[in-house]
Amino acid sequence: MEKEKIIKKLEKEISEEEIEKAKRNDHARRKPRACGFTVHIAKGCDANCLYCYVNTKPKLIDISPKALLYALLLNPKFEVGKSFVAIGAICEPLDFPDYTKEFLDEIAKLGNPVQISTKEVNYNLAKALRRVDALVSMCSAVDEICKKFEPKRPPPSERLEFCREIKGGVFLRPILPNVSLKDHFKSLEIIADFTDRVILGNLRLSKEVKRKLGIKELPKKYFEIKRKLEDYAKDLGLLVYRSACCSNAYRHNVVCWNKCWEKGFCSSCPNACWEKI
């Protein structure tokens, strides 16, 4: 179905007030990022994970899931069936399960490669999450370690069981310099029992994050440590991604949106994007 036809169909299903709100919504204008179009069903999170730069009270978007989809379709850069979509950047989408499920149901009709990242566990959403590239995020797969940095979220042991249920991947994010290489290795060993793929995420340092973690800057060997983790994960039989878009491409069997194989981020996974061109 052509983009214009879908837009006209939605205009018959949502109110004029919602149409006007959607037109003013920033999703109608936002430029795509490396991971694709970031969709924010809410803004803010009060879980207060120590490494996170988001620390405001979460607020659900003021338009319905259908209107949010409408706003996204109004974006001139968004392509139906092609553009990558990433959910969960500045909020915890499973904190709003009903809204998230409805939006996933709506966007599934377009056939776009959709990715969602979560630290929560909700088996009522399992069916919806199996249809997309679901990433279960954690800074460590070791319960005792993770609790220090993510005290308000379920322990990794519960998240990993959920990850297996939804056939998801693990977003080991961020790789913390506060955690020893030995403990990072242990995380990967645990993860390998629950999924076939992992993404190794960077630590984003803001002034507040530096204060909470008690560090001034990333260690000089930070990216060398990441490389060691990548090699170790591969030895465990895991597919390793340096960028979230690669996982989304693999899960949906399409070419990576960001063309990572041209930019040095490719980890040569079985998706072999360069052969799909």
Side-chain angles (χ1 to χ4, degrees):
M1 191 181 294
E2 295 178 0
K3 186 176 182 179
E4 293 75 15
K5 289 182 179 179
I6 302 173
I7 290 174
K8 290 185 181 300
K9 181 176 182 293
L10 283 171
E11 286 175 341
K12 295 177 181 179
E13 297 175 358
I14 57 180
S15 67
E16 290 186 8
E17 181 183 359
E18 287 240 279
I19 288 173
E20 291 306 312
K21 279 187 177 182
K23 288 178 179 178
R24 295 192 299 269
N25 189 274
D26 62 352
H27 289 87
R29 301 177 300 279
R30 179 179 294 133
K31 293 181 180 179
R33 300 170 63 88
C35 58
F37 285 85
T38 51
V39 171
H40 306 314
I41 65 162
K43 294 183 178 180
C45 178
D46 56 6
N48 199 31
C49 298
L50 295 188
Y51 53 78
C52 188
Y53 55 91
V54 179
N55 56 11
T56 56
K57 188 175 181 180
K59 184 178 180 181
L60 185 64
I61 194 170
D62 65 349
I63 55 177
S64 69
K66 278 191 177 182
L68 174 55
L69 183 67
Y70 178 74
L72 193 60
L73 285 163
L74 291 178
N75 193 311
K77 294 186 178 296
F78 183 82
E79 296 181 83
V80 174
K82 294 182 179 180
S83 296
F84 280 26
V85 174
I87 305 168
I90 58 172
C91 70
E92 170 48 68
L94 267 61
D95 281 348
F96 305 92
D98 294 338
Y99 192 102
T100 295
K101 182 182 182 303
E102 188 174 343
F103 181 73
L104 288 176
D105 289 344
E106 289 296 331
I107 199 167
K109 299 171 185 176
L110 303 185
N112 289 69
V114 176
Q115 183 178 77
I116 187 169
S117 174
T118 180
K119 291 187 180 74
E120 274 301 322
V121 174
N122 188 326
Y123 285 89
N124 291 329
L125 268 66
K127 184 177 180 180
L129 293 173
R130 287 192 203 103
R131 295 200 303 259
V132 301
D133 182 33
L135 302 179
V136 178
S137 181
M138 61 194 70
C139 65
S140 172
V142 181
D143 283 1
E144 297 77 13
I145 294 173
C146 193
K147 188 176 181 179
K148 297 176 184 177
F149 300 98
E150 302 173 6
K152 295 184 180 180
R153 294 300 179 189
S157 53
E158 294 181 14
R159 286 182 239 177
L160 287 167
E161 290 287 355
F162 184 56
C163 181
R164 177 155 57 193
E165 175 68 22
I166 61 177
K167 304 185 188 311
V170 168
F171 208 158
L172 195 59
R173 175 181 64 173
I175 302 300
L176 290 169
N178 312 61
V179 177
S180 71
L181 183 61
K182 180 181 178 181
D183 284 329
H184 280 313
F185 282 164
K186 186 176 181 181
S187 281
L188 291 170
E189 291 166 6
I190 295 170
I191 289 167
D193 288 334
F194 293 89
T195 185
D196 64 345
R197 64 194 192 281
V198 64
I199 303 170
L200 304 177
N202 292 331
L203 173 62
R204 178 176 172 179
L205 281 179
S206 66
K207 183 183 292 187
E208 179 67 8
V209 171
K210 289 178 182 179
R211 183 190 66 78
K212 290 193 290 186
L213 290 179
I215 60 176
K216 294 182 178 180
E217 59 185 15
L218 291 177
K220 291 181 179 180
K221 294 186 177 181
Y222 181 77
F223 292 99
E224 182 181 324
I225 290 171
K226 279 194 66 182
R227 182 69 65 167
K228 288 180 179 179
L229 294 178
E230 180 178 329
D231 291 341
Y232 193 72
K234 287 180 177 178
D235 288 342
L236 293 169
L238 287 164
L239 297 177
V240 185
Y241 297 103
R242 299 169 188 165
S243 184
C245 53
C246 294
S247 177
N248 201 4
Y250 170 78
R251 175 65 178 78
H252 293 95
N253 193 29
V254 296
V255 174
C256 178
W257 162 273
N258 196 37
K259 297 183 179 180
C260 287
W261 72 93
E262 294 179 352
K263 303 175 182 180
F265 294 121
C266 181
S267 52
S268 301
C269 85
N271 198 40
C273 295
W274 56 92
E275 295 180 358
K276 289 183 166 70
I277 296 296

Tab-separated table of all heavy atoms in Angstrom, residues 40-98:
chain	number	residue	atom	x	y	z
A	40	HIS	N	9.737	7.795	20.193
A	40	HIS	CA	9.644	7.989	21.639
A	40	HIS	C	8.176	7.957	22.067
A	40	HIS	O	7.461	8.948	21.898
A	40	HIS	CB	10.274	9.315	22.048
A	40	HIS	CG	11.681	9.491	21.567
A	40	HIS	ND1	12.629	8.491	21.675
A	40	HIS	CD2	12.311	10.539	20.964
A	40	HIS	CE1	13.777	8.920	21.177
A	40	HIS	NE2	13.609	10.147	20.734
A	41	ILE	N	7.746	6.824	22.601
A	41	ILE	CA	6.361	6.766	23.065
A	41	ILE	C	6.194	7.544	24.370
A	41	ILE	O	5.085	7.868	24.775
A	41	ILE	CB	5.898	5.309	23.262
A	41	ILE	CG1	6.687	4.635	24.380
A	41	ILE	CG2	6.049	4.519	21.978
A	41	ILE	CD1	6.033	3.407	24.903
A	42	ALA	N	7.322	7.826	25.010
A	42	ALA	CA	7.337	8.641	26.221
A	42	ALA	C	8.698	9.315	26.301
A	42	ALA	O	9.636	8.950	25.581
A	42	ALA	CB	7.087	7.785	27.456
A	43	LYS	N	8.792	10.279	27.175
A	43	LYS	CA	10.067	10.938	27.426
A	43	LYS	C	10.330	10.940	28.918
A	43	LYS	O	9.474	11.315	29.705
A	43	LYS	CB	10.073	12.358	26.862
A	43	LYS	CG	9.999	12.407	25.345
A	43	LYS	CD	10.089	13.825	24.810
A	43	LYS	CE	10.051	13.823	23.277
A	43	LYS	NZ	10.136	15.202	22.720
A	44	GLY	N	11.551	10.504	29.273
A	44	GLY	CA	11.921	10.481	30.676
A	44	GLY	C	11.867	9.083	31.281
A	44	GLY	O	11.190	8.188	30.759
A	45	CYS	N	12.586	8.906	32.370
A	45	CYS	CA	12.611	7.637	33.097
A	45	CYS	C	13.106	7.921	34.507
A	45	CYS	O	14.071	8.670	34.694
A	45	CYS	CB	13.558	6.654	32.390
A	45	CYS	SG	13.709	5.061	33.240
A	46	ASP	N	12.419	7.355	35.498
A	46	ASP	CA	12.819	7.598	36.889
A	46	ASP	C	13.448	6.375	37.543
A	46	ASP	O	13.510	6.272	38.761
A	46	ASP	CB	11.634	8.093	37.717
A	46	ASP	CG	10.445	7.150	37.683
A	46	ASP	OD1	10.577	6.050	37.100
A	46	ASP	OD2	9.378	7.504	38.215
A	47	ALA	N	13.952	5.429	36.720
A	47	ALA	CA	14.636	4.257	37.282
A	47	ALA	C	15.978	4.643	37.880
A	47	ALA	O	16.521	3.938	38.731
A	47	ALA	CB	14.827	3.188	36.209
A	48	ASN	N	16.533	5.766	37.400
A	48	ASN	CA	17.776	6.318	37.936
A	48	ASN	C	18.950	5.340	37.884
A	48	ASN	O	19.708	5.217	38.844
A	48	ASN	CB	17.559	6.802	39.379
A	48	ASN	CG	18.642	7.782	39.810
A	48	ASN	OD1	19.175	8.527	38.996
A	48	ASN	ND2	18.978	7.766	41.092
A	49	CYS	N	19.101	4.651	36.767
A	49	CYS	CA	20.294	3.825	36.578
A	49	CYS	C	21.512	4.745	36.615
A	49	CYS	O	21.484	5.835	36.025
A	49	CYS	CB	20.219	3.081	35.248
A	49	CYS	SG	18.818	1.929	35.151
A	50	LEU	N	22.563	4.332	37.292
A	50	LEU	CA	23.678	5.233	37.581
A	50	LEU	C	24.383	5.754	36.336
A	50	LEU	O	24.956	6.836	36.352
A	50	LEU	CB	24.690	4.539	38.491
A	50	LEU	CG	24.213	4.178	39.902
A	50	LEU	CD1	25.379	3.688	40.737
A	50	LEU	CD2	23.544	5.359	40.585
A	51	TYR	N	24.355	4.996	35.265
A	51	TYR	CA	25.086	5.386	34.066
A	51	TYR	C	24.216	6.151	33.067
A	51	TYR	O	24.679	6.517	31.986
A	51	TYR	CB	25.636	4.148	33.359
A	51	TYR	CG	24.573	3.125	33.081
A	51	TYR	CD1	23.687	3.272	32.021
A	51	TYR	CD2	24.414	2.019	33.917
A	51	TYR	CE1	22.678	2.358	31.792
A	51	TYR	CE2	23.414	1.098	33.687
A	51	TYR	CZ	22.561	1.274	32.628
A	51	TYR	OH	21.553	0.366	32.409
A	52	CYS	N	22.955	6.376	33.401
A	52	CYS	CA	22.014	6.921	32.424
A	52	CYS	C	21.906	8.439	32.521
A	52	CYS	O	21.847	9.002	33.617
A	52	CYS	CB	20.630	6.291	32.607
A	52	CYS	SG	19.478	6.743	31.288
A	53	TYR	N	21.857	9.085	31.362
A	53	TYR	CA	21.746	10.548	31.297
A	53	TYR	C	20.290	11.008	31.373
A	53	TYR	O	20.025	12.207	31.435
A	53	TYR	CB	22.383	11.064	30.004
A	53	TYR	CG	21.839	10.435	28.753
A	53	TYR	CD1	20.761	10.990	28.077
A	53	TYR	CD2	22.394	9.258	28.248
A	53	TYR	CE1	20.246	10.411	26.936
A	53	TYR	CE2	21.884	8.663	27.102
A	53	TYR	CZ	20.815	9.241	26.451
A	53	TYR	OH	20.305	8.648	25.321
A	54	VAL	N	19.328	10.050	31.347
A	54	VAL	CA	17.910	10.398	31.443
A	54	VAL	C	17.463	10.240	32.897
A	54	VAL	O	17.551	9.155	33.464
A	54	VAL	CB	17.049	9.488	30.538
A	54	VAL	CG1	15.572	9.854	30.667
A	54	VAL	CG2	17.492	9.594	29.086
A	55	ASN	N	16.999	11.312	33.500
A	55	ASN	CA	16.612	11.221	34.916
A	55	ASN	C	15.385	12.063	35.238
A	55	ASN	O	15.211	12.512	36.368
A	55	ASN	CB	17.785	11.629	35.818
A	55	ASN	CG	18.323	13.020	35.500
A	55	ASN	OD1	17.697	13.758	34.752
A	55	ASN	ND2	19.467	13.369	36.070
A	56	THR	N	14.529	12.286	34.256
A	56	THR	CA	13.302	13.041	34.487
A	56	THR	C	12.113	12.090	34.607
A	56	THR	O	12.157	10.953	34.131
A	56	THR	CB	13.040	14.022	33.324
A	56	THR	OG1	13.009	13.294	32.093
A	56	THR	CG2	14.134	15.073	33.254
A	57	LYS	N	11.065	12.552	35.222
A	57	LYS	CA	9.879	11.733	35.401
A	57	LYS	C	9.285	11.376	34.042
A	57	LYS	O	9.113	12.232	33.182
A	57	LYS	CB	8.846	12.495	36.234
A	57	LYS	CG	7.642	11.656	36.639
A	57	LYS	CD	6.727	12.435	37.572
A	57	LYS	CE	5.535	11.579	37.987
A	57	LYS	NZ	4.621	12.306	38.905
A	58	PRO	N	8.969	10.090	33.819
A	58	PRO	CA	8.454	9.686	32.505
A	58	PRO	C	7.071	10.250	32.218
A	58	PRO	O	6.203	10.293	33.085
A	58	PRO	CB	8.415	8.154	32.609
A	58	PRO	CG	8.316	7.862	34.068
A	58	PRO	CD	9.092	8.959	34.747
A	59	LYS	N	6.894	10.682	30.981
A	59	LYS	CA	5.617	11.234	30.566
A	59	LYS	C	5.241	10.649	29.213
A	59	LYS	O	5.976	10.791	28.234
A	59	LYS	CB	5.690	12.763	30.476
A	59	LYS	CG	4.362	13.420	30.146
A	59	LYS	CD	4.485	14.935	30.111
A	59	LYS	CE	3.134	15.586	29.785
A	59	LYS	NZ	3.254	17.063	29.729
A	60	LEU	N	4.083	10.001	29.159
A	60	LEU	CA	3.609	9.380	27.935
A	60	LEU	C	3.289	10.445	26.898
A	60	LEU	O	2.818	11.527	27.230
A	60	LEU	CB	2.360	8.547	28.233
A	60	LEU	CG	1.758	7.719	27.091
A	60	LEU	CD1	2.722	6.638	26.625
A	60	LEU	CD2	0.439	7.099	27.537
A	61	ILE	N	3.556	10.124	25.640
A	61	ILE	CA	3.250	11.034	24.548
A	61	ILE	C	1.757	11.361	24.545
A	61	ILE	O	0.932	10.541	24.958
A	61	ILE	CB	3.698	10.390	23.202
A	61	ILE	CG1	3.718	11.417	22.081
A	61	ILE	CG2	2.810	9.208	22.856
A	61	ILE	CD1	4.383	10.903	20.808
A	62	ASP	N	1.410	12.579	24.091
A	62	ASP	CA	0.019	13.046	24.221
A	62	ASP	C	-0.848	12.733	23.010
A	62	ASP	O	-1.898	13.363	22.816
A	62	ASP	CB	-0.007	14.553	24.507
A	62	ASP	CG	0.531	15.381	23.345
A	62	ASP	OD1	1.117	14.786	22.417
A	62	ASP	OD2	0.367	16.614	23.368
A	63	ILE	N	-0.435	11.788	22.173
A	63	ILE	CA	-1.270	11.352	21.048
A	63	ILE	C	-1.386	9.826	21.085
A	63	ILE	O	-0.545	9.144	21.675
A	63	ILE	CB	-0.703	11.815	19.683
A	63	ILE	CG1	0.742	11.346	19.498
A	63	ILE	CG2	-0.810	13.328	19.540
A	63	ILE	CD1	1.342	11.711	18.147
A	64	SER	N	-2.417	9.313	20.455
A	64	SER	CA	-2.672	7.869	20.462
A	64	SER	C	-1.640	7.133	19.610
A	64	SER	O	-0.941	7.746	18.789
A	64	SER	CB	-4.070	7.594	19.905
A	64	SER	OG	-4.101	7.896	18.510
A	65	PRO	N	-1.522	5.818	19.775
A	65	PRO	CA	-0.601	5.040	18.932
A	65	PRO	C	-0.851	5.217	17.439
A	65	PRO	O	0.093	5.315	16.652
A	65	PRO	CB	-0.866	3.603	19.383
A	65	PRO	CG	-1.295	3.731	20.806
A	65	PRO	CD	-2.111	4.985	20.842
A	66	LYS	N	-2.116	5.267	17.040
A	66	LYS	CA	-2.419	5.473	15.615
A	66	LYS	C	-1.973	6.856	15.152
A	66	LYS	O	-1.476	7.029	14.034
A	66	LYS	CB	-3.913	5.300	15.353
A	66	LYS	CG	-4.352	3.853	15.188
A	66	LYS	CD	-5.775	3.769	14.676
A	66	LYS	CE	-6.167	2.308	14.447
A	66	LYS	NZ	-7.536	2.174	13.898
A	67	ALA	N	-2.154	7.843	16.009
A	67	ALA	CA	-1.741	9.201	15.658
A	67	ALA	C	-0.219	9.308	15.609
A	67	ALA	O	0.332	10.049	14.787
A	67	ALA	CB	-2.316	10.206	16.649
A	68	LEU	N	0.460	8.562	16.466
A	68	LEU	CA	1.920	8.539	16.425
A	68	LEU	C	2.403	7.928	15.115
A	68	LEU	O	3.343	8.432	14.483
A	68	LEU	CB	2.467	7.752	17.619
A	68	LEU	CG	3.980	7.522	17.651
A	68	LEU	CD1	4.751	8.845	17.563
A	68	LEU	CD2	4.382	6.765	18.915
A	69	LEU	N	1.746	6.854	14.702
A	69	LEU	CA	2.089	6.245	13.412
A	69	LEU	C	1.824	7.239	12.282
A	69	LEU	O	2.629	7.358	11.344
A	69	LEU	CB	1.265	4.980	13.199
A	69	LEU	CG	1.582	4.202	11.919
A	69	LEU	CD1	2.976	3.611	11.972
A	69	LEU	CD2	0.557	3.101	11.695
A	70	TYR	N	0.732	7.958	12.386
A	70	TYR	CA	0.385	8.972	11.387
A	70	TYR	C	1.477	10.038	11.313
A	70	TYR	O	1.904	10.432	10.212
A	70	TYR	CB	-0.968	9.590	11.745
A	70	TYR	CG	-1.432	10.694	10.836
A	70	TYR	CD1	-1.915	10.425	9.558
A	70	TYR	CD2	-1.407	12.025	11.264
A	70	TYR	CE1	-2.351	11.438	8.721
A	70	TYR	CE2	-1.841	13.052	10.436
A	70	TYR	CZ	-2.310	12.754	9.170
A	70	TYR	OH	-2.738	13.761	8.340
A	71	ALA	N	1.947	10.505	12.469
A	71	ALA	CA	3.011	11.513	12.508
A	71	ALA	C	4.271	10.996	11.827
A	71	ALA	O	4.918	11.713	11.055
A	71	ALA	CB	3.312	11.905	13.952
A	72	LEU	N	4.597	9.751	12.092
A	72	LEU	CA	5.790	9.151	11.493
A	72	LEU	C	5.646	9.081	9.971
A	72	LEU	O	6.588	9.353	9.228
A	72	LEU	CB	6.004	7.760	12.082
A	72	LEU	CG	7.348	7.071	11.822
A	72	LEU	CD1	8.499	7.896	12.381
A	72	LEU	CD2	7.350	5.681	12.431
A	73	LEU	N	4.459	8.742	9.513
A	73	LEU	CA	4.212	8.650	8.075
A	73	LEU	C	4.259	10.018	7.394
A	73	LEU	O	4.566	10.118	6.202
A	73	LEU	CB	2.857	7.990	7.820
A	73	LEU	CG	2.812	6.470	8.042
A	73	LEU	CD1	1.375	5.993	8.178
A	73	LEU	CD2	3.509	5.734	6.901
A	74	LEU	N	3.957	11.072	8.140
A	74	LEU	CA	4.033	12.424	7.576
A	74	LEU	C	5.472	12.861	7.355
A	74	LEU	O	5.730	13.790	6.581
A	74	LEU	CB	3.334	13.427	8.508
A	74	LEU	CG	1.815	13.334	8.629
A	74	LEU	CD1	1.314	14.368	9.636
A	74	LEU	CD2	1.131	13.522	7.286
A	75	ASN	N	6.400	12.202	8.030
A	75	ASN	CA	7.811	12.553	7.882
A	75	ASN	C	8.258	12.252	6.450
A	75	ASN	O	8.185	11.104	6.002
A	75	ASN	CB	8.652	11.742	8.878
A	75	ASN	CG	10.068	12.259	9.001
A	75	ASN	OD1	10.748	12.491	8.004
A	75	ASN	ND2	10.526	12.432	10.227
A	76	PRO	N	8.714	13.247	5.713
A	76	PRO	CA	9.073	13.029	4.301
A	76	PRO	C	10.225	12.053	4.096
A	76	PRO	O	10.365	11.475	3.012
A	76	PRO	CB	9.443	14.431	3.809
A	76	PRO	CG	9.744	15.225	5.035
A	76	PRO	CD	8.870	14.654	6.101
A	77	LYS	N	11.022	11.841	5.129
A	77	LYS	CA	12.161	10.936	4.998
A	77	LYS	C	11.810	9.485	5.356
A	77	LYS	O	12.599	8.576	5.131
A	77	LYS	CB	13.328	11.418	5.879
A	77	LYS	CG	13.913	12.744	5.420
A	77	LYS	CD	15.147	13.104	6.223
A	77	LYS	CE	15.758	14.413	5.742
A	77	LYS	NZ	16.244	14.330	4.351
A	78	PHE	N	10.633	9.266	5.923
A	78	PHE	CA	10.233	7.916	6.325
A	78	PHE	C	9.680	7.152	5.133
A	78	PHE	O	8.778	7.620	4.439
A	78	PHE	CB	9.182	7.980	7.436
A	78	PHE	CG	8.770	6.628	7.940
A	78	PHE	CD1	9.541	5.963	8.883
A	78	PHE	CD2	7.617	6.005	7.460
A	78	PHE	CE1	9.165	4.712	9.346
A	78	PHE	CE2	7.244	4.759	7.912
A	78	PHE	CZ	8.021	4.102	8.861
A	79	GLU	N	10.224	5.941	4.918
A	79	GLU	CA	9.793	5.103	3.813
A	79	GLU	C	9.069	3.861	4.338
A	79	GLU	O	9.623	3.121	5.162
A	79	GLU	CB	10.988	4.667	2.969
A	79	GLU	CG	11.719	5.791	2.268
A	79	GLU	CD	12.872	5.276	1.425
A	79	GLU	OE1	12.631	4.847	0.283
A	79	GLU	OE2	14.012	5.283	1.928
A	80	VAL	N	7.871	3.654	3.875
A	80	VAL	CA	7.086	2.490	4.291
A	80	VAL	C	7.793	1.206	3.853
A	80	VAL	O	8.205	1.061	2.702
A	80	VAL	CB	5.670	2.543	3.683
A	80	VAL	CG1	4.903	1.259	3.987
A	80	VAL	CG2	4.916	3.752	4.214
A	81	GLY	N	7.940	0.274	4.795
A	81	GLY	CA	8.533	-1.015	4.505
A	81	GLY	C	10.043	-1.029	4.464
A	81	GLY	O	10.655	-2.102	4.420
A	82	LYS	N	10.684	0.137	4.502
A	82	LYS	CA	12.138	0.198	4.374
A	82	LYS	C	12.838	0.828	5.578
A	82	LYS	O	13.831	0.287	6.078
A	82	LYS	CB	12.521	0.966	3.106
A	82	LYS	CG	12.110	0.283	1.814
A	82	LYS	CD	12.568	1.092	0.605
A	82	LYS	CE	12.175	0.402	-0.696
A	82	LYS	NZ	12.617	1.190	-1.884
A	83	SER	N	12.360	1.982	6.014
A	83	SER	CA	13.039	2.704	7.088
A	83	SER	C	13.097	1.886	8.377
A	83	SER	O	12.102	1.283	8.781
A	83	SER	CB	12.327	4.035	7.364
A	83	SER	OG	12.393	4.882	6.238
A	84	PHE	N	14.247	1.881	9.011
A	84	PHE	CA	14.399	1.218	10.305
A	84	PHE	C	13.740	2.068	11.386
A	84	PHE	O	13.784	3.296	11.343
A	84	PHE	CB	15.874	1.024	10.644
A	84	PHE	CG	16.516	-0.157	9.974
A	84	PHE	CD1	16.041	-0.658	8.776
A	84	PHE	CD2	17.628	-0.783	10.548
A	84	PHE	CE1	16.634	-1.747	8.156
A	84	PHE	CE2	18.230	-1.874	9.948
A	84	PHE	CZ	17.736	-2.360	8.754
A	85	VAL	N	13.154	1.394	12.375
A	85	VAL	CA	12.505	2.062	13.496
A	85	VAL	C	13.103	1.523	14.790
A	85	VAL	O	13.262	0.309	14.955
A	85	VAL	CB	10.976	1.823	13.481
A	85	VAL	CG1	10.325	2.405	14.737
A	85	VAL	CG2	10.349	2.419	12.228
A	86	ALA	N	13.449	2.424	15.712
A	86	ALA	CA	14.031	2.031	16.995
A	86	ALA	C	13.238	2.666	18.130
A	86	ALA	O	13.071	3.890	18.173
A	86	ALA	CB	15.495	2.447	17.069
A	87	ILE	N	12.765	1.841	19.053
A	87	ILE	CA	11.921	2.299	20.164
A	87	ILE	C	12.645	2.048	21.488
A	87	ILE	O	13.193	0.970	21.703
A	87	ILE	CB	10.582	1.546	20.174
A	87	ILE	CG1	9.882	1.674	18.821
A	87	ILE	CG2	9.678	2.043	21.298
A	87	ILE	CD1	8.696	0.733	18.650
A	88	GLY	N	12.645	3.060	22.366
A	88	GLY	CA	13.195	2.852	23.699
A	88	GLY	C	14.425	3.663	24.036
A	88	GLY	O	15.119	3.357	25.001
A	89	ALA	N	14.713	4.709	23.263
A	89	ALA	CA	15.949	5.462	23.469
A	89	ALA	C	15.936	6.314	24.736
A	89	ALA	O	16.901	6.325	25.492
A	89	ALA	CB	16.234	6.338	22.251
A	90	ILE	N	14.860	7.049	24.990
A	90	ILE	CA	14.852	7.968	26.136
A	90	ILE	C	13.715	7.656	27.108
A	90	ILE	O	13.241	8.529	27.824
A	90	ILE	CB	14.767	9.435	25.676
A	90	ILE	CG1	13.515	9.671	24.828
A	90	ILE	CG2	16.022	9.831	24.904
A	90	ILE	CD1	13.265	11.138	24.511
A	91	CYS	N	13.286	6.417	27.110
A	91	CYS	CA	12.249	5.988	28.038
A	91	CYS	C	12.311	4.470	28.152
A	91	CYS	O	13.063	3.810	27.435
A	91	CYS	CB	10.859	6.415	27.562
A	91	CYS	SG	10.279	5.515	26.102
A	92	GLU	N	11.530	3.923	29.049
A	92	GLU	CA	11.354	2.475	29.140
A	92	GLU	C	9.983	2.158	28.556
A	92	GLU	O	8.957	2.383	29.198
A	92	GLU	CB	11.453	2.012	30.594
A	92	GLU	CG	11.060	0.558	30.842
A	92	GLU	CD	11.714	-0.431	29.875
A	92	GLU	OE1	12.935	-0.601	29.950
A	92	GLU	OE2	10.993	-1.015	29.039
A	93	PRO	N	9.927	1.648	27.329
A	93	PRO	CA	8.626	1.444	26.667
A	93	PRO	C	7.706	0.479	27.387
A	93	PRO	O	6.485	0.613	27.309
A	93	PRO	CB	9.017	0.929	25.276
A	93	PRO	CG	10.423	0.439	25.413
A	93	PRO	CD	11.061	1.276	26.460
A	94	LEU	N	8.255	-0.484	28.116
A	94	LEU	CA	7.396	-1.445	28.818
A	94	LEU	C	6.825	-0.886	30.119
A	94	LEU	O	6.016	-1.539	30.768
A	94	LEU	CB	8.136	-2.758	29.074
A	94	LEU	CG	7.931	-3.822	27.972
A	94	LEU	CD1	8.431	-3.315	26.633
A	94	LEU	CD2	8.610	-5.126	28.342
A	95	ASP	N	7.231	0.337	30.469
A	95	ASP	CA	6.549	1.028	31.570
A	95	ASP	C	5.158	1.472	31.129
A	95	ASP	O	4.322	1.835	31.964
A	95	ASP	CB	7.355	2.256	32.015
A	95	ASP	CG	8.534	1.902	32.913
A	95	ASP	OD1	8.594	0.738	33.379
A	95	ASP	OD2	9.394	2.774	33.140
A	96	PHE	N	4.928	1.449	29.815
A	96	PHE	CA	3.625	1.817	29.239
A	96	PHE	C	3.185	0.668	28.332
A	96	PHE	O	3.129	0.810	27.097
A	96	PHE	CB	3.742	3.121	28.449
A	96	PHE	CG	4.317	4.261	29.249
A	96	PHE	CD1	5.692	4.516	29.238
A	96	PHE	CD2	3.500	5.059	30.033
A	96	PHE	CE1	6.230	5.551	29.979
A	96	PHE	CE2	4.030	6.103	30.779
A	96	PHE	CZ	5.399	6.352	30.759
A	97	PRO	N	2.893	-0.494	28.915
A	97	PRO	CA	2.685	-1.715	28.120
A	97	PRO	C	1.524	-1.646	27.141
A	97	PRO	O	1.632	-2.137	26.016
A	97	PRO	CB	2.452	-2.794	29.178
A	97	PRO	CG	2.016	-2.050	30.407
A	97	PRO	CD	2.742	-0.752	30.367
A	98	ASP	N	0.403	-1.065	27.542
A	98	ASP	CA	-0.763	-1.020	26.650
A	98	ASP	C	-0.469	-0.168	25.422
A	98	ASP	O	-0.783	-0.552	24.285
A	98	ASP	CB	-1.991	-0.484	27.393
A	98	ASP	CG	-2.454	-1.417	28.493
A	98	ASP	OD1	-2.129	-2.613	28.431
A	98	ASP	OD2	-3.133	-0.940	29.425
